[in-house]
């Protein structure tokens, strides 16, 4: 579909606006200086701060002694970046020389903001019509990337809702017409199903939330698809990772995450099933060792998330960390952390590149946070595990047609930094003996079999599901973790109570060609569209966003993993952990956030001292010279006005040393930068009835 000229909107704040068709341009006088950006200069050049994925900044103007003094420096509501507000804003800005660049709103606009005031420098939006309305990955996305030649050619690079790669002049907001075709590369071109059928450029399933990986003059782009719980076909679009020349848009190389015949790993798709299955995209952030010339790709599940009967075998490179050559895209090594994936244990987080010292030996390592709450640590040159990995026997599937792997890999170090299976009775709710007894009664309707407990065919008259922990929500999900390169410590927030009873069912007639997918035969079928689907600006489903949804049927079974309205797992419900990579152990672990209102106010807990239970959910964090900073995942109102708190923790001990109020929960990962000699922290908040907003905090002028 050709680009709609009415969709190229660029607005820059100057004394005079000049209208050229539908393109509004004015020059931001501050501009950008020459040279390469870095966190050492007070910039935040990448989504993860740097190419190594650390989310670390050496800035320390904001510290434990003054964090409580932070005040709102500016705020930017994203409501007008599309025809209606967005309620799940996940962006993290990049900051270059005092200017911020990020995505916003239901049309996934790109905006440039003055870092000192939050004023809009310019905005750009591409109107993609139906292509965006039915896109696989909607919402405003996680942000943008930045490229510079160091001589004034500065570009913002991002992926649209409809899966196009666009480059924009960072100073003016105008498209770089020399890139691709009129500033755009159509990323659906080359995406295939089956053994090589090109997908339809409008309706074909492909998209992306994450930001491009920019290294040297190369832009590396992953791929993503709709939620894999109830797919209409196992022959879905195949995942790809591709590299493009950042100056011209020329395709440089392609890595097939489902290997073709003759490629390494093709034999792990038994019975030729590589040709009739899809997904295995890379939907989260990638990282790169620029000196070694190695790129690290965290790969997701194949189709589908909970049933693999149409794809016997281990299914490389599903749920694998793959290292490829930066120049060629050729595989150097891989490690599959889940064989024959059927648990939705997608590799969700950016791999962290860490130079560590283990038993006196210097190791260039890569550490991978995960939904399983394991931190998988490898030599990033060779792929060898830093500490032994053990293949252990696991529960086998009894679903007709399913063929699970007899063993799965378990790290020996570090230990899990959150619960990744339900240990009975130790992990069950224990506020009272009666509650624990009730929890055991609830579990009698489920199969409990440790980690990698395969889904079963859910039966309202028998077993309802197979108990697992992590899966869709993590553990650590897309926000990832952070790392201090000076102390060699990884900081990870994780959900600690995401128990689920995984089950599969026969699809309703005519809906899907799979034998089974997620659900239960005794319950009404509901398609799993996933968070954000239908929110795009032109989606007809977007009109229902924010409106009351119909209640479940009156005769719906009252099953659930709870006891008197409380989680079946005991607190803490969420944790923050410090993992020492030199020793492979936990340095500290504390509850994340504060006790949710529904726990405090539950009448069953009246008179019981429950302490701080922490909060469930997965959020990103920021690591500075002395602090770990992250916001609450839930809105509370017991200890402060209704809202959420942005909290600072001492890096050495985990002690909370400060907190400031936010009007809504954290929904995007925090970042920090310096402008005009002042340090700022910016965070995206949204959720419930609160639409997306970027809020910047800084110290008062007198501090």
């Amino acid at each position: 579909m050709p680009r709609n000229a009415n969709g190229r909107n660029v607005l820059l704040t100057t004394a005079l606006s000049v209208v050229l068709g539908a393109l509004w341009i004015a020059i931001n006088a501050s501009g950008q200086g020459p040279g390469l950006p870095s966190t050492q200069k007070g910039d935040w050049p990448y989504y993860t701060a740097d190419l190594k994925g650390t989310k670390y900044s050496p800035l320390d103007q904001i510290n434990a002694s003054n964090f409580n003094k932070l005040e709102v420096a500016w705020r930017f509501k994203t409501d007008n970046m599309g025809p209606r507000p967005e309620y799940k804003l996940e962006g993290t800005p990049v900051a270059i020389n005092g200017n911020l660049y990020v995505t916003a709103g239901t049309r996934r606009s790109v905006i440039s903001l003055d870092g000192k005031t939050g004023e809009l420098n310019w905005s750009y939006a591409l109107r993609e019509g139906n292509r965006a309305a039915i896109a696989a990955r909607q919402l405003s996305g996680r942000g943008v990337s930045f490229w510079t030649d160091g001589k004034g050619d500065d570009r913002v690079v991002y992926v649209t809702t409809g899966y196009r790669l666009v480059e924009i002049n960072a100073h003016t907001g105008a498209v770089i017409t020399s890139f691709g075709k009129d500033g755009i590369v159509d990323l659906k071109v080359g995406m295939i199903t089956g053994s090589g059928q090109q997908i339809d450029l409008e309706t074909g399933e492909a998209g992306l939330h994450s930001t491009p990986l920019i290294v040297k003059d190369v832009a590396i782009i992953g791929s993503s698809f709709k939620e894999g719980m109830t797919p209409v076909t196992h022959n879905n679009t195949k995942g790809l990772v591709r590299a493009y020349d950042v100056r011209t848009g020329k395709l440089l190389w392609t890595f097939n995450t489902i290997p073709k015949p003759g490629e390494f790993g093709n034999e792990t798709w038994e019975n030729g099933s590589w040709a009739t299955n899809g997904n295995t995209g890379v939907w989260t952030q990638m990282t790169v060792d620029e000196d070694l010339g190695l790129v690290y790709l965290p790969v997701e599940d194949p189709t589908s998330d909970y049933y693999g009967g149409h794809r016997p075998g281990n299914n490389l490179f599903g749920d694998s960390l793959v290292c490829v050559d930066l120049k060629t895209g050729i595989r150097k090594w891989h490690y599959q952390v889940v064989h024959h994936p059927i648990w939705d244990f997608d590799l969700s987080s950016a791999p962290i590149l860490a130079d560590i010292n283990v038993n006196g030996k210097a190791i260039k390592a890569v550490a991978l946070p995960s939904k399983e709450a394991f931190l998988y640590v490898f030599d990033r040159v060779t792929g060898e595990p830093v500490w032994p990995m053990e293949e252990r026997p696991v529960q086998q599937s009894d679903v007709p047609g399913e063929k699970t792997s007899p063993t799965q890999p378990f790290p020996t170090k570090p230990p899990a930094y959150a619960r990744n299976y339900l240990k009975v009775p130790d992990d069950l709710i224990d506020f009272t003996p009666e509650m624990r007894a009730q929890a055991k009664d609830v579990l009698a309707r489920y199969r409990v079999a440790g980690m990698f407990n395969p889904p079963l065919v859910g039966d309202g008259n028998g077993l309802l599901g197979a108990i697992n922990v992590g899966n869709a929500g993590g553990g650590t999900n897309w926000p990832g973790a952070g790392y201090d390169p000076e102390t060699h410590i990884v900081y990870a927030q994780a959900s600690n109570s995401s128990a689920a009873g995984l089950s599969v069912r026969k699809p309703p007639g005519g809906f899907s060609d799979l034998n089974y997918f997620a659900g239960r035969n005794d319950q009404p079928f509901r398609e799993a569209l996933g968070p954000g689907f239908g929110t795009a600006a032109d989606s007809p489903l977007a009109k229902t966003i924010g409106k009351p949804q119909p209640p479940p049927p009156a005769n719906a079974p009252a099953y659930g993993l709870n006891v008197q309205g409380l989680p079946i797992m005991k607190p803490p419900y969420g944790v923050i952990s410090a993992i020492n990579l030199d020793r492979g152990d936990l340095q500290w672990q504390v509850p994340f956030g504060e006790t949710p209102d529904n726990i405090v106010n539950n009448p069953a807990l009246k008179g019981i001292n429950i302490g701080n239970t922490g909060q469930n959910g997965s959020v990103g964090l920021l690591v500075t010279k002395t602090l770990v900073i992250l916001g609450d995942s839930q809105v509370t109102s017991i200890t402060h006005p209704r809202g959420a708190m942005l909290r600072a923790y001492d890096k050495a001990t985990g002690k909370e040393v400060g907190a400031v109020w936010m009007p809504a929960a954290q929904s995007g990962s925090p970042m920090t930068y310096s402008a005009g000699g002042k340090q700022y922290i910016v965070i995206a908040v949204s959720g419930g009835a609160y639409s997306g907003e970027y809020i910047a905090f800084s110290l008062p002028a007198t501090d």
Side-chain angles (χ1 to χ4, degrees):
M1 185 186 75
R3 180 176 47 170
N4 184 338
N6 291 328
R8 294 177 294 163
N9 298 325
V10 183
L11 173 62
L12 292 92
T13 54
T14 61
L16 179 66
S17 293
V18 180
V19 182
L20 299 174
L23 188 69
W24 294 66
I25 298 179
I27 303 300
N28 173 22
S30 63
Q32 292 183 9
L36 300 177
S38 74
T39 54
Q40 297 293 328
K41 297 179 180 178
D43 300 315
W44 189 271
Y46 303 91
Y47 176 87
T48 54
D50 52 38
L51 290 171
K52 294 183 176 181
T54 67
K55 298 188 177 178
Y56 175 82
S57 171
L59 297 178
D60 63 353
Q61 187 181 87
I62 298 171
N63 53 53
S65 69
N66 57 29
F67 193 89
N68 282 327
K69 297 180 182 179
L70 288 177
E71 58 186 23
V72 173
W74 54 260
R75 53 205 313 165
F76 187 90
K77 286 291 275 186
T78 64
D79 292 4
N80 291 332
M81 298 296 144
R84 58 185 63 84
E86 178 183 29
Y87 295 92
K88 199 171 188 296
L89 179 66
E90 297 180 346
T92 296
V94 295
I96 312 293
N97 196 32
N99 287 318
L100 273 60
Y101 306 94
V102 72
T103 47
T106 55
R107 206 174 291 285
R108 198 178 290 186
S109 300
V110 178
I111 57 174
S112 170
L113 303 176
D114 185 305
K116 294 187 291 293
T117 66
E119 292 176 277
L120 182 68
N121 295 325
W122 54 257
S123 72
Y124 170 91
L126 183 62
R127 301 196 179 196
E128 299 179 285
N130 188 57
R131 177 164 168 160
I134 62 172
R137 292 288 161 167
Q138 299 181 21
L139 300 172
S140 58
R142 311 237 158 96
V144 303
S145 298
F146 182 87
W147 175 85
T148 179
D149 65 355
K151 303 175 183 177
D153 185 357
D154 302 328
R155 306 183 185 186
V156 176
V157 188
Y158 90 113
V159 177
T160 69
T161 308
Y163 203 45
R164 291 176 166 104
L165 183 64
V166 179
E167 289 196 354
I168 307 166
N169 184 307
H171 302 285
T172 67
V175 295
I176 305 292
T177 56
S178 59
F179 177 79
K181 183 178 180 181
D182 297 326
I184 297 175
V185 170
D186 191 334
L187 294 172
K188 285 192 178 182
V189 173
M191 301 293 290
I192 64 168
T193 60
S195 57
Q197 291 73 44
Q198 167 68 47
I199 67 171
D200 185 273
L201 296 185
E202 180 173 336
T203 62
E205 186 174 316
L208 197 64
H209 278 152
S210 60
T211 68
L213 175 64
I214 307 294
V215 52
K216 298 181 179 178
D217 290 342
V218 179
I220 304 174
I221 316 296
S223 53
S224 185
F225 312 96
K226 290 181 181 178
E227 291 287 345
M229 298 177 186
T230 57
V232 297
T233 179
H234 54 84
N235 189 20
N236 200 23
T237 310
K238 286 175 162 56
L240 294 176
V241 177
R242 290 170 291 182
Y244 296 87
D245 186 305
V246 77
R247 295 177 185 267
T248 66
K250 177 184 177 182
L251 179 65
L252 301 177
W253 53 256
T254 299
F255 180 78
N256 297 312
T257 53
I258 297 180
K260 295 180 179 180
E263 295 180 340
F264 184 95
N266 177 262
E267 72 285 354
T268 66
W269 297 79
E270 297 175 7
N271 303 333
S273 57
W274 74 273
T276 56
N277 285 274
N279 289 71
T280 64
V282 175
W283 54 255
T284 193
Q285 300 297 140
M286 299 169 280
T287 49
V288 62
D289 187 318
E290 191 171 2
D291 296 330
L292 294 175
L294 298 176
V295 186
Y296 301 90
L297 316 177
V299 187
E300 65 154 353
D301 285 5
T303 318
S304 66
D305 283 348
Y306 297 128
Y307 179 73
H310 300 280
R311 47 176 174 86
N314 278 353
N315 307 140
L316 290 178
F317 292 97
D319 287 7
S320 299
L321 179 61
V322 183
C323 173
V324 301
D325 185 275
L326 172 61
K327 292 182 179 179
T328 65
I330 294 174
R331 184 194 70 93
K332 292 295 187 178
W333 60 262
H334 77 278
Y335 196 96
Q336 188 176 48
V337 302
V338 180
H339 307 318
H340 186 73
I342 56 167
W343 291 273
D344 197 6
F345 281 146
D346 298 342
L347 271 56
S348 59
S349 304
I352 297 170
L353 309 189
D355 295 337
I356 61 178
N357 192 296
V358 179
N359 296 326
K361 179 183 178 183
I363 299 175
K364 291 183 177 296
V366 53
L368 180 71
S370 67
K371 291 183 177 182
E372 301 95 299
F374 281 136
L375 187 67
Y376 299 93
V377 187
F378 306 97
D379 183 310
R380 68 176 183 265
V381 180
T382 67
E384 289 296 315
V386 170
W387 293 281
M389 299 279 288
E390 295 179 353
E391 289 283 342
R392 300 175 186 170
V394 293
Q395 175 76 31
Q396 295 300 286
S397 176
D398 58 6
V399 175
E402 185 62 272
K403 180 184 175 184
T404 41
S405 172
T407 64
Q408 294 289 349
F410 287 77
T412 57
K413 294 178 76 172
Y417 57 88
R419 290 186 291 231
N420 52 21
Y421 73 99
L422 183 61
K423 186 177 182 180
V424 179
D426 299 25
D427 291 334
L428 296 181
I429 184 172
D430 62 353
F431 293 125
T432 68
E434 292 76 18
M435 287 182 179
R436 176 158 283 188
Q438 291 174 36
K440 292 179 181 179
D441 290 341
V442 170
L443 289 180
R445 299 296 310 278
Y446 295 86
R447 184 178 68 206
V448 181
M451 198 173 174
F452 298 109
N453 188 8
L456 51 77
V457 179
D459 181 359
N461 297 316
L463 292 179
L464 302 177
I467 295 296
N468 284 266
V469 176
N471 310 102
T476 302
N477 209 326
W478 61 266
Y483 174 71
D484 186 337
E486 296 180 3
T487 61
H488 302 178
I489 293 175
V490 167
Y491 298 93
Q493 185 276 336
S495 168
N496 200 40
S497 56
S498 295
L502 301 186
S503 63
V504 294
R505 58 163 292 163
K506 289 279 189 183
F511 181 84
S512 175
D513 62 12
L514 276 81
N515 292 335
Y516 294 91
F517 60 25
R520 287 218 319 261
N521 289 326
D522 63 305
Q523 291 186 329
F525 170 69
R526 179 174 294 182
E527 184 179 4
L529 297 175
F533 188 81
T535 61
D538 297 314
S539 172
L541 295 177
K543 297 178 181 179
T544 67
I545 302 299
K547 294 183 178 180
Q549 298 300 305
N555 61 349
Y559 301 131
L561 293 174
N562 64 81
V563 173
Q564 298 183 46
L566 299 166
I568 198 168
M569 299 179 76
K570 69 181 182 182
Y573 301 135
V575 293
I576 308 169
S577 303
I579 305 117
N580 188 304
L581 287 189
D582 289 342
R583 302 195 307 259
D585 60 17
L586 295 183
Q587 182 153 315
W588 53 258
Q589 185 176 86
V590 297
F592 157 64
E594 65 183 75
T595 305
D597 287 7
N598 68 308
I599 305 295
V600 175
N601 296 326
N602 189 296
L605 297 178
K606 186 175 181 180
I608 299 175
N609 181 11
I610 61 175
N612 182 12
T613 68
Q615 299 176 356
N616 204 357
S618 182
V619 300
L621 52 78
L622 159 68
V623 184
T624 69
K625 190 77 172 176
T626 57
L627 301 175
V628 178
I629 301 168
L630 66 166
D632 292 349
S633 61
Q634 299 179 28
V635 168
T636 55
S637 61
I638 303 299
T639 64
H640 51 74
R642 182 171 176 79
M645 302 299 286
L646 179 66
R647 303 177 191 271
Y649 298 83
D650 185 287
K651 286 198 314 185
T653 65
K655 179 183 177 182
E656 184 178 318
V657 293
V660 292
W661 184 85
M662 304 184 298
Q666 173 176 323
S667 54
S669 297
M671 53 80 72
T672 189
Y673 63 97
S674 179
K678 176 174 284 194
Q679 182 182 357
Y680 297 81
I681 295 171
V682 172
I683 190 167
V685 301
S686 61
Y690 199 90
S691 59
E693 183 175 37
Y694 291 108
I695 301 178
F697 293 93
S698 65
L699 293 171
T702 55
D703 276 70

